[in-house]
Amino acid sequence: MKSAVEILSALAEPTRLAAMRLLWDGREHCVCELMRELGASQSRMSRHMSVLRNAGLVVDRRDAQWVRYRIAPDLSAETFALLEAALALSGKPQRVAA
């Protein structure tokens, strides 16, 4: 498990937090969708998602030329609680899907 500092550092950047907000619905999202929703270039979005992946918060899957992301299915209870708290503090409602 990553430390709380590593997780919170990954979530401290507004674009990454916004990406986690989009992924919080429990579904898989294409990086192209994240780019469109967040107004980020492909390279910028990929860098942000790499930070989230390295923090253990998301997993990815290649689909042709795009990469699809979702919340990591094996988050510890502590990591899940940190993520939920960060999203709640940023105004995100409770998770609607697992």
Side-chain angles (χ1 to χ4, degrees):
M1 179 176 116
K2 299 289 182 176
S3 74
V5 170
E6 290 172 296
I7 293 164
L8 292 172
S9 291
L11 296 173
E13 202 287 327
T15 300
R16 291 194 290 266
L17 187 59
M20 293 304 293
R21 246 186 248 112
L22 293 172
L23 296 173
W24 195 241
D25 66 5
R27 297 179 340 189
E28 190 176 67
H29 293 267
C30 176
V31 71
C32 58
E33 178 186 348
L34 299 173
M35 290 165 44
R36 182 179 61 249
E37 292 292 323
L38 302 176
S41 68
Q42 190 275 330
S43 61
R44 182 172 164 234
M45 199 73 242
S46 292
R47 281 193 309 271
H48 285 309
M49 297 313 291
S50 177
V51 171
L52 293 172
R53 188 178 57 249
N54 290 338
L57 296 171
V58 301
V59 294
D60 62 355
R61 176 179 68 84
R62 181 157 292 284
D63 182 20
Q65 84 252 25
W66 297 109
V67 178
R68 298 186 177 277
Y69 293 93
R70 64 187 171 99
I71 300 284
D74 58 349
L75 292 179
S76 68
E78 294 83 7
T79 300
F80 187 89
L82 277 174
L83 179 54
E84 191 171 45
L87 291 172
L89 287 171
S90 70
K92 175 64 183 172
Q94 292 185 344
R95 189 172 190 175
V96 295

